[in-house]
Amino acid sequence: MANGEGRGQYAHLPIPSYEEATSRPSSSSEQHQGPSQTGDDAERQGLLFGQGDRNADATTRRPGTYRAPAVESARASMDSGSDLSVPEMVDGEGQNARRQVEQFDYMEPGDSEDPTQSRLYHRPRIRTKFSQHLTSIGATLSAFRIPSLRSLYTPVANAESGGTEPQTWRERVRASARVPGQMTISIPIFARLVGLFTIAALIWFLFAIEVFPNNLNKMGMHFDPESVRIYVQEHIDAESIQGYLYHITSFDHVAGTEGDLYLARWMEERWKEMGVFDQVALLDYYVYLNYPTKDGRSVEIVSPEARKWTAALEEDSAYRDRPQSLAWHGHSRSGEVEGPLVYANGGSREDFAYLQEHGVNLNGTIALVKYYSTQGDRALKVKAAEEAGCVGALIYSDPADDGAGKGLTYPAGAWRPADGVQRGSVSLMSWVVGDPLTPGWASTLDAQRVSKDHNPGLVNIPSLPLAWRDAEILLSSLDGVGKEAPREWVGGTKGLPMKWFTGGGDKAPVVHLKNLNDENPLQTIWNLQGIIQGIEAPEKKVIVGNHRDSWCFGAVDPGSGSAVMMELVSIFGALRKLGWRPLRTIEFASWDAEEYNLVGSTEYVEDKIDYLRENGIAYLNVDVGVSGSKFRAAGSPVWQRSLLRVLDRVTDPQTNETLRQLWDEGHSKLEGLGAGSDYVAFQDIAGTSSIDFGFEGPEHGFPYHSCYETFEWMQRFGDVKGDDGAFLPHHRTLAQIWALLILEIADRPLIPFDLRTYADAMMHYAEELSEDATKALNAASIPTSTIDLDPIFAAASFLKEATAEFHAFEDTWATQVLANAGGMENRKWLLKRLEYNERISRFETDLLDLADPDLDDPRLNGKGRKKTGIPRREQFKHVIFGPQAWSGYDEAYFPAVRDMLAAGNWTGVQEYTDIAAARMRRAGERLSE
């Protein structure tokens, strides 16, 4: 609904428990209820009985409604001496309708043609009979009238004297030995007592033989799940999201700074006020961060004399009345260097090799490279320059990629203006993720730390980011100097010459680069954590995350995701206040220092690594929430079924088609995870199945990591108000998707991950690996028989069979519990279901390269190697997913094998092929153990 209309209409309405929904307020209390209170009752019924016709009157929408009794039946109370009237149902129809409470919703209409989609959701909802049994038992018990115990002890009057005491001792003896008439139990009363005890014994017997589930105490108030999903979708308020985004983007909040701490505490306070969490905490870690100093950065042409020049470096002010962050690279090396300028295109190793092959001496030079292009990771650009012999690196934003060459620049248009600077980290996250001083363990205050010098996670030459405004002058200074650059290296705008030159050599201008940072190896950062305890498996966690820190105002990255998460907390808070709980624990997290090197989330994972490997079910990440209108998602293949189910019920705000329709029409697919956001530690280190999603615009289509990434940019270009006047429509849609995905994993009886999809994906990954291996062998003139990838193909085939057999349990459980038992799950099927969930949630953990004594080969079980994981990058343990050493943000499958291929280590290729195959096969075997 536009403008949060849905939430405004229904936000006050609580979700009732089963007992509240099936009870009727007394007529006296009902007389004091106003219209709004009557509406509350109707909403409670709607969420327990299902939505019904939402256009109908609240009373007509509720099945089993009581009517005012025409005749009152009086029951004498011997305790009080007063008459209490009890309203009765007019007819049996209302009582029967009342019993049709939907306590357990699992199946949904199977409208998908995909068989993997239909198996889990192939039936309509089946109503549990348990509530009917309880109602029937209660009615039966209430039919018995037990005599008042007070009457049994009424003094017996003496017939002769009219007194209450015997007159002689003989009479007293006889009286004491005689049973008073009032204390004698008539045959009807005796029969009722026998019946009562018989029913009690029968109930005990039914529980003993597990006809009734013995976990009812845990299930407590269990709401109709479909009604909860509808409630969540309809009550998300885009206007509230807009308010959150406005506040979050009103000041810069770089990790570890005052603005960051203020925002963490503000969010903590709001989370506590919303009443959603059983526990809210700020978790401190102490990590290595650096910050720019005001006079500690400069870029100058110092010779020849005629070309002397100093770069502006800083962006113009985005706001007249607000300070903003300076321009620098996080985790960059402090230093002051000088050397000839050389242009190296996108800064890939291949680009530097091209220069060397064409006679350009790179030793002692300052490399000028552009963002994106041939190397997507800015840190790997600096590392490639370092390995090529350069002493410093400058990375600029080329208008052909994200500026005037694409369209109008901000504020007239969405693209990066000429003075816009892309800040960012240059720590090597595909080599060491998290705090580079504590690789593999948490950065607690007393943790051991390694040196930042010659650290594999840090570069060793200074670097700075540049705006096109400054880079254009440096490129112009190279005109005619060195070799002519290839045509594909030429960027810029139409004003520059069509020929660009590489520079280098004696005639190249000499550039002085200064980058002196304020460094702190023990900088405090703050992860905010909020926990909703589950009722069935509280130890099992579904983790929901978005990072909070930003390089400046951060309206897109990460503000759009942060604002949406705040609204999710509000919605789940409304559910919690009404008594709802998920089956499994949900943990919300606002990570800190993601922008530096995924620091906050990684330190948390390393701190809780054993717990997460044992109990982490899923991680749902949103980073860049909204920068356009096209939905995208990347994740473990297990997510595909749940994602498509959610997209099938969410409508695109522009076209009014479902997102599933647009997804299919655009031939979209669930992409693989690379190394670009907080999912890395969960997926690649802990083995927690992860997904990352959001709405995107044109490639590089917003002023990424610039102070022009503002609230106003978002309103005007990122998420424009719809024709119906709705605020931030795609933010609201993102909130719906996120909330529904959380409910999919946290609140369905069977965790709806699909391992068959995973097995199919593995076969596809193996085919890609085989093609790349063949190319690498042919390029090196090595026979293709040198390596054998058949073990991976065999393991993938085995997994395909094992997962098909494993998922057959879904149909068996549905038949036995939902169909045959009417939704009543006895202890036997409860335990089987919990074991199924346990196996499906640990599947990805079984794909980690950890020490495993069950594997006979010491080389495969990890004991025959000094370290497990990817060689020289041992933090990364997953054999299927992980960043390739030089792929940066890009996804890579079988990363250890690919590292060996890239290095031409054919023995290593075979070794890690065998290791990956063994882990795949072991994961399949554990599904049936």
Side-chain angles (χ1 to χ4, degrees), residues 655-793:
T655 65
N656 289 324
E657 294 183 273
T658 67
L659 289 175
R660 173 67 184 276
Q661 290 174 291
L662 298 179
W663 179 275
D664 292 341
E665 290 170 5
H667 304 289
S668 301
K669 64 177 182 177
L670 184 64
E671 303 289 346
L673 292 169
S677 193
D678 288 306
Y679 51 76
V680 170
F682 287 95
Q683 181 72 42
D684 301 341
I685 298 176
T688 303
S689 300
S690 301
I691 188 171
D692 176 76
F693 51 93
F695 285 90
E696 63 182 3
E699 187 177 24
H700 317 314
F702 67 97
Y704 177 60
H705 288 183
S706 162
C707 286
Y708 293 114
E709 195 185 312
T710 62
F711 178 80
E712 290 75 18
W713 184 94
M714 179 63 74
Q715 279 192 315
R716 295 179 57 197
F717 305 109
D719 197 6
V720 181
K721 186 183 294 187
D723 295 336
D724 58 357
F727 297 97
L728 302 181
H730 289 91
H731 283 72
R732 183 176 187 274
T733 305
L734 177 63
Q736 292 180 330
I737 297 168
W738 206 352
L740 291 173
L741 278 174
I742 293 169
L743 292 173
E744 283 284 304
I745 310 304
D747 207 34
R748 285 196 180 274
L750 294 178
I751 297 174
F753 283 160
D754 193 342
L755 303 186
R756 294 164 297 192
T757 304
Y758 205 124
D760 291 339
M762 281 187 180
M763 187 64 74
H764 176 67
Y765 302 154
E767 291 169 353
E768 287 185 352
L769 178 65
S770 179
E771 293 174 3
D772 293 341
T774 300
K775 292 178 183 177
L777 290 167
N778 290 338
S781 300
I782 301 293
T784 55
S785 59
T786 303
I787 59 176
D788 180 15
L789 299 181
D790 285 347
I792 287 181
F793 282 96

Side-chain angles (χ1 to χ4, degrees), residues 47-68:
L47 285 164
L48 273 168
F49 289 96
Q51 292 298 304
D53 183 1
R54 289 194 292 275
N55 296 322
D57 177 82
T59 303
T60 61
R61 187 172 69 231
R62 180 178 63 190
T65 303
Y66 282 90
R67 303 172 188 170

Side-chain angles (χ1 to χ4, degrees), residues 313-335:
L313 290 185
E314 308 299 347
E315 291 176 303
D316 295 342
S317 294
Y319 298 101
R320 294 180 180 179
D321 59 345
R322 302 182 197 177
Q324 64 188 44
S325 59
L326 302 176
W328 91 108
H329 280 152
H331 280 163
S332 59
R333 173 68 62 175
S334 280

Side-chain angles (χ1 to χ4, degrees), residues 22 81 268 346 388 398 442 654 657 665 694 704 761 764 767 823 833 906:
T22 57
E268 178 188 25
D398 196 298
Q654 289 182 331
E657 294 183 273
E665 290 170 5
Y704 177 60
H764 176 67
E767 291 169 353
R833 176 171 61 82
W906 314 118

